[in-house]
Amino acid sequence: MTTSIREKQQTSPYFGTNSSWLEYYYDLYLEDKNAVDADLRSFFDQLGDTENDARHLPVIEKFAAAGQLNPAASVVSGDAEHQQKQAAVLRLVNSYRVRGHQKANLDPLNYSKRPETPDLELAFHHLNDADLEKTFNTGSMVAPDTMKLKDIISHLEGVYCQHIGVEYMHITDIKKREWLQQRLEKNAGAFPFDAEQKKRFLYALTKAEGLERYLHTKYVGQKRFSLEGGDALIPQLDELIQHLGTGGTKELVIGMAHRGRLNVLVNTLGKSAGALFDEFEGVKADELDNVNSGDVKYHKGYSSDVATPGGDVHLALAFNPSHLEIIDPVVIGSSRARQVRRKDESKNVVVPVLIHGDAAFEGQGVVMELFNMAMVEGYDVGGTIHIIINNQIGFTTTHALDKKGSMYCTEVAKMVQAPIFHVNADDPEAVVFATNMAADYRQAFGQDVVIDLVCYRKHGHNEADEPSATQPHMYKLIKQHPTARQIYADKLAAENLLNADEAKQMFDAYRDLLDNDEPVVTFGPTHKNDKFAVDWTPYVDGDIREDVNTSISNTQFEGYGKIITNLPEDLKPHPRVNKINQDRVKMLAGDLPMDWGFAETMAYASILDEKFQIRIDGQDSQRGTFFHRHAVIHNVDINENYTPLEKLEGEDHGIDIINSVLSEEAVLAFEYGYATSEPRALVIWEAQFGDFANGAQVVIDQFIASGEAKWGRHCGLAMFLPHGYEGQGPEHSSARLERFLQLCAVNNMQVCMPSTPAQTFHMLRRQMIRKVRKPLIVMTPKSLLRHKQAVSTRDDLVNGQFHEIIGDSKADAKKIERLIICSGKVYYDVIEAIQEKGIDTVAVCRVEQLYPFPRPQLIQELDRYAKLKTVIWCQEEPINQGAWFQIRHHLQFCIEGRFPLHFAGRKGSPSPAVGALQVHIKEQQQLIEDAIHGEHGSAIDAE
């Protein structure tokens, strides 16, 4: 009679409590046969084909089905009871790896309640005190192959339950888990630092505490967002720089919010203490104006070059607004640009470091967006080192105990399977050990890592805040708690490494440096002379109104056109794409007028040919949201694609066209960061619909519009925002032109609404050729991409230029009594109605650049019409939106009271557009009628 699998399982020594032990080693075997010992390898080999079905059947059932119920005695020694105990011990080991962090001593205040960990108790695994003296196999622990159970537990307690708690068992890649396991369990919690290193840690803590005490006494009550309680950040950063520098890293790009920022500026980057004190005293405040507004001292950035054994490391601390985590994608974008500049294919030469607050890390959605981008082509920077200054309290009142979910603020990092190192900030050795291991993991695997620096906040949210009003118990503990420097100085004294007098001398020496404004950081010999630093000087004093030649030659036109249209013979595009390419061949030959996609692609070709870099990023940018671009052509037969423009790439200039993740905020911030770090790159972010820019409004407000005024950061980022009323409802009509115009002042950016393909061609070329870098906001079209009248000719590219105003060249100036001024698509609707009705007394003028507003050109156009009686501003948007209220003063200036000025457009509305197509059509017809024939009772129409 045949024995069933179930019966075989029940009689097998590998069934039940032993199964998890065997499953664990079988998992190792499947990843790498050499990862298990010879006996087990031989045993597993008998199971046959592990490639095809190993994952589809529990290992115990495979053993039973294969008849492998009585393996050689050498696999597991001893009787059945000992085998069961051995399996229990290995499960206990695994429990420490999974749950040891919850038992770890992480909170310096011992304020947060730790959860119960019954699975770390002997009884949970059917072990008892009598087993403590028994010897067991240690499994894959970095320890002797066999140890007494009490020694195994002691080892595990030292590794996982002291001042470092590590979460890594959620990582599915067994090689990464093994790497971490080996590094963690090697030293059993004993950190391998010598006396010199320990004194260095103490000095770093001395710097951290010393600066805060100095500021607290010299500038009483002023906001500084003190680091006190999180002092270990300074030795952590100092040692991270030295560790990475020794390994070959040349550049760290750092982002952080305001908590501890002044301390990092002085003690890590070496900003002059005297310069910082001047800022506290407002010495340079009279130099600021609306052009250079400046910013508060705890938002400013800085850069320096610090000496390490492996050479100088350039440190760049990014500026930031008060929007906490929004600096994160900016830093990552900047890091990507620097890696490209250095040809850093390993992505280990330039390393991004982000310093977060605990509540912000888990509360701000941009953090999740950034993790979602981490391993996506086009955004990958080889992993980010995340450091969380975990005060255990958010702003003023929200403590970790108030949360109903996880006990940690780091859960979001698990979406990319990042290892998470929770560490007690009162133990600088644990902090440095965890940080160095995290950095090595990042360098080895090119993925994000998180160090959760569990600390406290000595003062309130700022120094004027009274935290004990809302957290009385916590702040009672804080007042009684010694500083990290005191704790560590006492520890070193107990180790006979220094005495109290030496610790005080160290503190006094640091204070003397501050008093004398002497450097507290050792700069490297290349300080301020890094050959990879970008030279922004050609663009600093550039004129946004500079007139440059953007035309190309006939030879260039022919050459670019052939590169764009000549596809490989073995490339089979989609039929619709092939039709577009065939039409472009005709456009090149002059048999068809040029459409938008052809002229835009020609612009990119010319820009690449002039040795500029191009980066285009959006949710459907390769083909274009409206199926017009097709800069990347896909082969229908095989999974490959072809980018014609890559033929124009060179050693120092290439093109990346990226279909972005479904994010606006993080992606736009990434591209802003990239553009601020590379002036020779045309960086374009394209919204799928212009309306979606509102998902990135914080980036627009805090960086794009005001970054130059606040921080002196130049940026040539272009934003493509499809805009135009096509009857597609409120969220697919308006890019909120009025918001961008409201942010315009002192030539901070450009806002354009080109109405022809040639205008886009010259606008893009002008953006790169001019010796100025300002953001370019483009209201790009939708229906005009294929509009029969929105076309251009070869001559428009070869002999043309960007026109900020396009007058009515077909109108007889002597007859014109009414001038309609407009921007964008509505021009074609208005001109079509005029032509249909045969009206010859109305002219239409297009404003192609709404900011800086071209007053001289408009005045010149107005002066052409001797019989002019009325001027109309016509727009598709409601009167309270669009350009009207933002440019009316420009129009009035140009008119100088000579003519009445009227408005033609939609009535005021809180919504950008109506949802019903028939209502849209009726509104559109009415505003065109108003523009051409409308009688207006007042000079300026009210809502």
Side-chain angles (χ1 to χ4, degrees):
M1 180 173 148
T2 304
T3 306
S4 69
I5 290 177
R6 177 62 57 190
E7 290 172 329
K8 289 181 178 181
Q9 287 178 342
Q10 291 172 345
T11 59
S12 168
Y14 296 113
F15 182 64
T17 57
N18 291 336
S19 63
S20 63
W21 174 80
L22 207 53
E23 292 276 6
Y24 173 76
Y25 281 103
Y26 192 54
D27 192 27
L28 281 175
Y29 168 84
L30 291 176
E31 296 290 343
D32 180 4
K33 292 185 178 182
N34 294 320
V36 299
D37 64 37
D39 291 325
L40 276 176
R41 186 163 59 250
S42 175
F43 179 48
F44 292 146
D45 283 343
Q46 298 173 53
L47 296 181
D49 183 7
T50 60
E51 293 292 330
N52 297 320
D53 64 351
R55 297 298 186 186
H56 302 294
L57 191 67
V59 63
I60 299 304
E61 292 190 16
K62 287 181 67 62
F63 292 158
Q68 304 299 332
L69 298 175
N70 295 296
S74 60
V75 174
V76 178
S77 59
D79 56 21
E81 181 182 359
H82 187 79
Q83 292 171 22
Q84 291 180 343
K85 294 282 188 180
Q86 173 67 68
V89 169
L90 291 173
R91 288 199 305 275
L92 175 63
V93 171
N94 193 62
S95 292
Y96 268 96
R97 291 167 179 162
V98 174
R99 289 257 284 161
H101 59 90
Q102 293 187 328
K103 187 180 178 183
N105 179 14
L106 302 176
D107 181 4
L109 302 175
N110 198 27
Y111 179 69
S112 298
K113 183 179 179 181
R114 283 175 277 180
E116 299 294 328
T117 51
D119 46 344
L120 301 186
E121 302 296 329
L122 291 175
F124 185 88
H125 300 280
H126 306 292
L127 298 166
N128 53 52
D129 289 345
D131 296 317
L132 291 173
E133 296 297 329
K134 295 178 181 177
T135 299
F136 295 95
N137 191 304
T138 58
S140 59
M141 282 174 54
V142 181
D145 291 339
T146 58
M147 295 172 65
K148 288 184 178 179
L149 178 56
K150 67 176 182 180
D151 296 325
I152 293 175
I153 292 173
S154 177
H155 188 94
L156 293 167
E157 286 280 330
V159 173
Y160 294 108
C161 302
Q162 298 306 309
H163 286 162
I164 299 176
V166 189
E167 293 184 86
Y168 69 99
M169 294 298 283
H170 57 279
I171 299 172
T172 57
D173 187 330
I174 197 166
K175 290 187 175 70
K176 294 174 183 174
R177 289 205 311 267
E178 281 188 323
W179 187 97
L180 289 162
Q181 218 167 274
Q182 296 283 324
R183 292 285 295 267
L184 286 164
E185 295 176 0
K186 180 179 180 180
N187 298 303
F191 308 122
F193 300 121
D194 59 31
E196 203 57 44
Q197 289 173 302
K198 293 179 180 182
K199 289 180 181 179
R200 199 165 67 221
F201 301 162
L202 179 61
Y203 181 61
L205 289 173
T206 299
K207 292 193 299 180
E209 182 179 327
L211 181 67
E212 298 295 353
R213 285 173 61 176
Y214 194 94
L215 294 175
H216 191 63
T217 56
K218 192 169 183 177
Y219 303 103
V220 179
Q222 285 203 41
K223 287 184 183 180
R224 67 180 193 277
F225 296 99
S226 160
L227 182 61
E228 290 163 282
D231 308 60
L233 178 68
I234 300 305
Q236 181 180 28
L237 288 178
D238 286 357
E239 295 303 315
L240 176 63
I241 294 163
Q242 296 300 314
H243 186 74
L244 287 172
T246 301
T249 296
K250 298 301 180 185
E251 202 162 350
L252 262 64
V253 191
I254 306 169
M256 68 181 299
H258 39 274
R259 175 73 53 208
R261 188 181 186 87
L262 299 182
N263 214 304
V264 170
L265 281 167
V266 173
N267 287 323
T268 302
L269 282 92
K271 180 174 180 176
S272 162
L276 178 62
F277 301 154
D278 285 348
E279 290 170 8
F280 270 95
E281 294 167 8
V283 170
K284 297 183 179 180
D286 59 341
E287 298 178 8
L288 304 177
D289 52 29
N290 64 324
V291 179
N292 301 293
S293 67
D295 201 354
V296 292
K297 48 194 166 289
Y298 38 80
H299 286 175
K300 292 182 178 180
Y302 196 76
S303 64
S304 61
D305 298 274
V306 174
T308 77
D312 289 358
V313 174
H314 179 72
L315 307 179
L317 177 63
F319 44 83
N320 76 294
S322 286
H323 282 266
L324 302 174
E325 300 296 330
I326 193 60
I327 193 62
D328 301 351
V330 176
V331 165
I332 304 307
S334 176
S335 300
R336 174 80 177 202
R338 295 163 191 261
Q339 289 172 343
V340 170
R341 184 161 63 246
R342 288 180 177 268
K343 298 181 176 60
D344 179 15
E345 295 182 5
S346 71
K347 296 184 174 63
N348 286 342
V349 178
V350 178
V351 177
V353 178
L354 294 175
I355 303 171
H356 313 266
D358 50 331
F361 188 78
E362 64 181 345
Q364 300 284 299
V366 71
V367 175
M368 184 282 293
E369 290 189 22
L370 190 61
F371 276 123
N372 189 48
M373 295 161 59
M375 299 301 291
V376 177
E377 185 178 1
Y379 310 106
D380 177 22
V381 290
T384 300
I385 298 173
H386 300 267
I387 299 171
I388 300 172
I389 303 176
N390 188 347
N391 300 310
Q392 306 184 73
I393 184 170
F395 190 57
T396 57
T397 60
T398 307
H399 188 267
L401 295 178
D402 299 330
K403 295 190 300 179
K404 300 299 187 290
S406 168
M407 65 182 288
Y408 297 125
C409 63
T410 54
E411 292 301 291
V412 67
K414 291 180 180 177
M415 68 183 285
V416 294
Q417 299 190 24
I420 301 165
F421 299 83
H422 308 280
V423 59
N424 189 318
D426 271 359
D427 185 347
E429 294 178 25
V431 170
V432 172
F433 178 81
T435 302
N436 287 350
M437 189 191 307
D440 289 343
Y441 180 92
R442 185 266 177 204
Q443 301 296 77
F445 297 107
Q447 291 187 299
D448 288 53
V449 292
V450 178
I451 306 111
D452 178 20
L453 191 65
V454 185
C455 55
Y456 58 92
R457 190 182 68 196
K458 184 174 182 179
H459 304 290
H461 174 66
N462 62 62
E463 286 64 35
D465 182 35
E466 179 45 74
S468 60
T470 52
Q471 299 290 339
H473 179 56
M474 173 184 266
Y475 275 85
K476 183 178 180 181
L477 294 176
I478 289 173
K479 288 178 181 178
Q480 298 169 351
H481 193 74
T483 66
R485 183 190 67 85
Q486 290 173 298
I487 294 170
Y488 195 56
D490 291 344
K491 178 179 183 295
L492 297 192
E495 295 176 7
N496 295 317
L497 295 180
L498 85 171
N499 56 46
D501 286 341
E502 289 173 307
K504 184 178 184 306
Q505 289 169 10
M506 190 181 287
F507 194 92
D508 291 342
Y510 176 75
R511 186 178 183 90
D512 289 341
L513 293 177
L514 297 182
D515 283 334
N516 299 323
D517 193 18
E518 295 181 39
V520 299
V521 169
T522 303
F523 296 122
T526 64
H527 184 51
K528 303 297 183 185
N529 190 31
D530 181 4
K531 69 177 183 178
F532 287 101
V534 177
D535 183 11
W536 280 93
T537 53
Y539 310 98
V540 171
D541 298 319
D543 183 2
I544 196 174
R545 296 181 182 272
E546 179 187 2
D547 190 14
V548 293
N549 179 14
T550 55
S551 64
I552 58 174
S553 69
N554 273 302
T555 301
Q556 289 173 313
F557 182 91
E558 291 286 342
Y560 302 149
K562 289 177 181 178
I563 285 173
I564 291 168
T565 57
N566 287 350
L567 305 182
E569 291 183 2
D570 59 349
L571 176 64
K572 184 179 179 182
H574 186 277
R576 285 182 63 192
V577 178
N578 190 55
K579 172 64 166 58
I580 290 172
N581 192 65
Q582 292 305 311
D583 285 346
R584 289 179 179 177
V585 172
K586 294 177 184 177
M587 293 172 195
L588 177 62
D591 297 332
L592 279 179
M594 285 187 296
D595 66 8
W596 218 279
F598 184 67
E600 181 190 335
T601 308
M602 289 287 279
Y604 299 141
S606 69
I607 289 167
L608 275 172
D609 194 35
E610 295 190 33
K611 307 297 187 290
F612 291 106
Q613 186 185 146
I614 297 177
R615 180 180 168 91
I616 305 171
D617 188 2
Q619 287 164 15
D620 213 349
S621 287
Q622 292 184 349
R623 72 158 206 184
T625 295
F626 306 103
F627 211 79
H628 82 285
R629 182 172 293 126
H630 297 289
V632 178
I633 301 172
H634 299 268
N635 196 325
V636 298
D637 289 336
I638 55 177
N639 185 25
E640 66 177 19
N641 54 53
Y642 175 69
T643 304
L645 288 168
E646 288 181 351
K647 294 177 185 175
L648 290 163
E649 290 184 326
E651 185 179 353
D652 296 316
H653 61 283
I655 182 166
D656 286 310
I657 308 173
I658 301 154
N659 288 336
S660 81
V661 295
L662 198 62
S663 157
E664 287 86 35
E665 182 179 18
V667 171
L668 179 58
F670 184 103
E671 301 308 333
Y672 172 80
Y674 196 106
T676 60
S677 298
E678 187 47 78
R680 291 193 57 80
L682 173 61
V683 182
I684 299 171
W685 178 75
E686 181 176 51
Q688 192 171 55
F689 284 86
D691 314 59
F692 299 166
N694 57 20
Q697 196 63 47
V698 62
V699 183
I700 297 163
D701 292 345
Q702 305 301 327
F703 293 108
I704 293 171
S706 59
E708 184 177 351
K710 292 188 293 188
W711 309 306
R713 298 299 297 179
H714 297 272
C715 170
L717 174 70
M719 293 178 63
F720 281 8
L721 308 176
H723 176 90
Y725 283 57
E726 315 283 2
Q728 297 188 51
E731 274 70 61
H732 292 84
S733 298
S734 175
R736 293 293 194 175
L737 172 62
E738 65 278 1
R739 293 181 181 172
F740 291 96
L741 292 175
Q742 189 178 37
L743 292 168
C744 290
V746 296
N747 295 331
N748 63 325
M749 57 184 176
Q750 309 149 95
V751 180
C752 296
M753 195 181 291
S755 61
T756 71
Q759 282 286 88
T760 287
F761 174 87
H762 291 292
M763 176 191 67
L764 291 173
R765 285 183 51 76
R766 182 183 72 165
Q767 181 71 359
M768 298 310 295
I769 293 172
R770 277 193 312 202
K771 291 298 183 181
V772 65
R773 291 292 179 263
K774 301 279 186 176
L776 171 63
I777 314 302
V778 188
M779 302 288 129
T780 55
K782 294 178 284 186
S783 63
L784 295 192
L785 297 173
R786 293 174 184 82
H787 198 288
K788 290 184 178 180
Q789 292 185 353
V791 292
S792 299
T793 66
R794 173 194 289 234
D795 189 64
D796 292 331
L797 271 58
V798 172
N799 296 314
Q801 66 180 69
F802 181 74
H803 300 281
E804 297 176 1
I805 291 281
I806 299 179
D808 195 334
S809 60
K810 296 181 180 180
D812 186 345
K814 296 176 182 178
K815 296 181 180 180
I816 298 304
E817 297 178 358
R818 189 183 190 99
L819 178 65
I820 300 171
I821 306 173
C822 62
S823 288
K825 177 183 77 72
V826 74
Y827 162 78
Y828 292 97
D829 297 336
V830 171
I831 205 72
E832 182 180 8
I834 290 173
Q835 291 170 351
E836 283 180 358
K837 296 178 180 181
I839 300 171
D840 62 1
T841 58
V842 179
V844 186
C845 170
R846 285 168 276 178
V847 180
E848 303 280 292
Q849 179 172 292
L850 291 158
Y851 189 85
F853 194 86
R855 286 183 175 185
Q857 294 94 317
L858 181 56
I859 291 172
Q860 185 178 0
E861 179 67 14
L862 289 165
D863 289 344
R864 291 178 55 214
Y865 307 111
K867 294 183 179 181
L868 190 60
K869 297 178 180 178
T870 302
V871 175
I872 307 292
W873 171 259
C874 179
Q875 66 179 40
E876 295 184 294
E877 302 89 350
I879 189 173
N880 60 310
Q881 300 171 35
W884 171 241
F885 283 126
Q886 303 305 322
I887 68 166
R888 188 170 62 178
H889 62 294
H890 292 300
L891 299 173
Q892 289 172 322
F893 177 88
C894 296
I895 290 171
E896 296 181 302
R898 293 178 289 169
F899 325 104
L901 173 63
H902 301 295
F903 172 85
R906 286 176 166 81
K907 294 179 181 179
S909 171
S911 175
V914 296
L917 178 60
Q918 293 305 315
V919 177
H920 159 78
I921 293 171
K922 184 178 179 180
E923 288 181 342
Q924 194 77 2
Q925 291 171 342
Q926 185 61 54
L927 72 87
I928 293 167
E929 179 68 19
D930 289 346
I932 298 173
H933 298 294
E935 296 295 332
H936 302 271
S938 62
I940 302 296
D941 300 280
E943 179 178 334

